[in-house]
């Protein structure tokens, strides 16, 4: 049962862009492989299984997706853009995308 705890992935309000348009934007500009989006969903599922406060909501799903695609691209694609570019595409600062990436890796027990 979710406790309502906010995480680094939560925004103060839902982004003005819908999720489908956001996914299309990330896919268009990052040119990452389709497997990156599948892996991002797997990461989101793993987080939700481990912590009910990580269930996707309108306040966190965009950041969860963006950080998941970023991590997946670094693990699977031969060529990928840097974090600053992902931040611009996703509408977050480079500091925030760095923080999101590190937190995702920590929560997934990445080694």
């Amino acid at each position: 049962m979710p406790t309502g705890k906010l995480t680094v992935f939560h925004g103060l309000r839902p982004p003005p862009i819908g999720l489908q348009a956001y996914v299309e934007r990330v896919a268009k500009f990052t040119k990452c492989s389709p497997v990156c989006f599948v892996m991002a969903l797997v990461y989101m599922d793993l987080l939700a299984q481990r912590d009910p406060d990580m269930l996707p909501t309108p306040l966190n799903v965009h950041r969860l997706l963006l950080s998941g695609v970023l991590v997946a691209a670094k693990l699977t694609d031969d060529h990928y853009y840097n974090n600053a570019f992902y931040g611009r595409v996703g509408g977050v600062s480079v500091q925030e995308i760095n923080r999101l990436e590190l937190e995702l890796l920590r929560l997934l027990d990445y080694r």
Side-chain angles (χ1 to χ4, degrees):
M1 175 83 71
T3 65
K5 176 186 77 176
L6 297 180
T7 69
V8 298
F9 299 98
H10 285 82
L12 297 176
R13 59 191 156 284
I17 185 172
L19 186 57
Q20 181 174 341
Y22 192 74
V23 170
E24 291 170 358
R25 176 180 171 77
V26 172
K28 175 182 176 181
F29 289 105
T30 65
K31 297 178 180 28
C32 63
S33 63
V35 74
C36 294
F37 291 91
V38 174
M39 289 179 66
L41 291 174
V42 170
Y43 298 152
M44 291 167 65
D45 185 57
L46 285 170
L47 292 179
Q49 288 178 34
R50 293 178 182 187
D51 182 354
D53 287 315
M54 296 303 297
L55 285 169
T57 71
L59 296 179
N60 69 8
V61 69
H62 293 74
R63 287 179 180 87
L64 286 169
L65 177 81
L66 181 65
S67 56
V69 169
L70 169 66
V71 168
K74 288 182 176 184
L75 293 174
T76 63
D77 288 355
D78 291 332
H79 303 283
Y80 55 86
Y81 292 100
N82 63 30
N83 286 22
F85 183 81
Y86 270 85
R88 283 192 303 276
V89 169
V92 299
S93 69
V94 67
Q95 294 84 4
E96 184 169 6
I97 193 65
N98 290 343
R99 187 170 48 251
L100 295 172
E101 178 186 21
L102 287 173
E103 182 65 2
L104 178 63
L105 292 170
R106 185 188 72 76
L107 292 170
L108 292 173
D109 294 324
Y110 181 79
R111 301 191 196 293

